[in-house]
Amino acid sequence: MNLSKGFLLAVVVLFAYLSLLLALPFFQYILGAVLVAYILSPVQTVLERRGGISPPIAAFGLVAATVAGVVVPLVILIALVASDARRLVENADTGSVGTSDLERRIEEQTGMSVDLTATITDSAQGIGTTVLEQSTTWFSALTHTAVGLGVAIFLLYYLLKDGNALLAWIRELTPLPDDVQDDFYRELDAVMWAVLVGHVLIAIIQGTLAGLGLLATGIPNAAFWTVVMIVLSLIPLIGSFLVWGPAVGFLFLTNEPVLAVALLVYSTIIVGLSDDYLRPILVDRYADLNPAVIILGVLGGVYAFGVMGLFYGPVVLGALIATLNVVNDNYNELEGAQGVQ
């Protein structure tokens, strides 16, 4: 390596490091924008080629639709959950939350006397103190969230508008033959859709179905628990049972045996079997990932990438498997190409 090449590589490393420092504060939002752009890119292509719409207008329309269809409902959901939590804290008395019946049932079943009202009141006071102490931190986090969402929206727009040019630039820089690149991107695309459709979409459907059961049977804070069940459904072998199972017990303890049985039957049949019917329909079209890959990817991804690791963790492991497959299929060809050069 001569001095000129070494200098250029050093400059590339320097500016890559500085660029990484700029991106790290908004890393979650960048990952989110890339994910949404990947999902919407087929729609962008259809609008451009079949609809005859210019790339900027098509991208702007998709971004506007995303904000209206995803961001706004998400803000409303967060406000709804916060409102439910506030009412629960404000009405932390025996009559409002039905603790007297629950205390009596627990004492009858276990012989232990508990004071749920005092526990709830103490918890409410602790929450209030925490809220007051953390108000400045939360305001800073809220400001960062607002800026991050703005970055994600602008990035999404340009990823949709200039996505084809970006991919062409990446292909040009990649020192691999075109057929090997085609094979690699095809494998990676299959992994992405396998995680997105067979992992995320099924989890959303299962969590939502379970949430409808909670809502129909009158479980408090159903919206919040629905979100929790969606997250839990992302983890194989765990799923939404960790929420609807205790909810069935709660209904039994509060003298609602009919609702408890109804929730148990609904969750076991509708929610439990939905995976057996949906997965073959949705996943068989794409690469099938081993549950061990999903579990390790989800749990490790959360530590490595934060919330977006729920999706990107399995993608990283699946991409490693896809890359190894491409290497195995094309290694001899690459050796021959290197020898020719």
Side-chain angles (χ1 to χ4, degrees):
M1 180 184 297
N2 59 37
L3 183 60
S4 298
K5 289 183 178 180
F7 175 77
L8 285 177
L9 288 178
V11 171
V12 168
V13 171
L14 173 63
F15 284 110
Y17 174 72
L18 295 176
S19 299
L20 179 63
L21 292 180
L22 295 177
L24 280 178
F26 304 104
F27 190 56
Q28 294 289 322
Y29 302 97
I30 294 173
L31 291 178
V34 172
L35 173 59
V36 176
Y38 175 77
I39 297 172
L40 295 179
S41 59
V43 183
Q44 174 80 11
T45 301
V46 170
L47 292 176
E48 292 179 18
R49 297 180 180 178
R50 298 183 183 179
I53 303 176
S54 65
I57 295 178
F60 180 81
L62 288 176
V63 171
T66 301
V67 172
V70 177
V71 177
V72 173
L74 182 61
V75 171
I76 294 175
L77 177 62
I78 293 174
L80 178 62
V81 172
S83 177
D84 288 345
R86 187 185 70 251
R87 284 199 300 268
L88 182 61
V89 172
E90 290 176 350
N91 299 324
D93 57 78
T94 304
S96 63
V97 295
T99 54
S100 57
D101 292 337
L102 188 56
E103 290 171 354
R104 185 174 64 254
R105 294 286 294 181
I106 293 175
E107 186 173 1
E108 291 174 357
Q109 296 293 329
T110 65
M112 298 174 58
S113 178
V114 295
D115 189 351
L116 295 180
T117 303
T119 301
I120 293 174
T121 302
D122 292 341
S123 299
Q125 292 174 349
I127 292 173
T129 302
T130 301
V131 169
L132 183 61
E133 293 176 349
Q134 299 296 324
S135 58
T136 303
T137 303
W138 288 358
F139 178 78
S140 176
L142 182 62
T143 303
H144 182 267
T145 300
V147 176
L149 286 175
V151 170
I153 290 172
F154 278 105
L155 183 59
L156 174 60
Y157 170 77
Y158 286 105
L159 285 174
L160 290 173
K161 184 175 77 73
D162 302 322
N164 291 332
L166 176 62
L167 290 176
W169 177 71
I170 293 175
R171 288 179 66 95
E172 184 179 353
L173 289 180
T174 304
L176 291 173
D178 289 340
D179 58 335
V180 177
Q181 290 198 52
D182 292 338
D183 192 15
F184 173 73
Y185 290 127
R186 184 166 52 249
E187 290 274 354
L188 186 60
D189 186 64
V191 168
M192 292 281 286
W193 281 110
V195 174
L196 183 65
V197 177
H199 175 54
V200 178
L201 179 59
I202 290 178
I204 293 174
I205 294 175
Q206 285 184 328
T208 303
L209 289 174
L212 292 176
L214 299 186
L215 182 63
T217 52
I219 297 297
N221 302 318
F224 169 77
W225 293 117
T226 298
V227 175
V228 173
M229 287 188 291
I230 290 175
V231 174
L232 291 175
S233 297
L234 292 171
I235 308 175
L237 306 179
I238 296 180
S240 58
F241 172 76
L242 289 183
V243 173
W244 68 256
V248 171
F250 172 80
L251 291 173
F252 270 116
L253 291 173
T254 54
N255 291 321
E256 297 289 354
V258 175
L259 292 178
V261 172
L263 180 60
L264 176 63
V265 173
Y266 170 83
S267 300
T268 302
I269 296 178
I270 303 299
V271 179
L273 297 181
S274 63
D275 181 75
D276 298 331
Y277 287 97
L278 289 174
R279 196 169 296 276
I281 296 174
L282 298 176
V283 179
D284 285 350
R285 298 176 55 193
Y286 309 102
D288 190 12
L289 294 178
N290 190 284
V293 174
I294 299 295
I295 293 176
L296 179 60
V298 168
L299 299 180
V302 171
Y303 281 97
F305 305 122
V307 175
M308 295 306 301
L310 293 170
F311 172 78
Y312 280 100
V315 166
V316 169
L317 293 180
L320 173 61
I321 297 173
T323 303
L324 293 176
N325 290 334
V326 172
V327 170
N328 182 61
D329 294 338
N330 299 277
Y331 187 74
N332 293 331
E333 176 187 344
L334 294 177
E335 277 190 332
Q338 184 178 5
V340 171
Q341 292 176 353

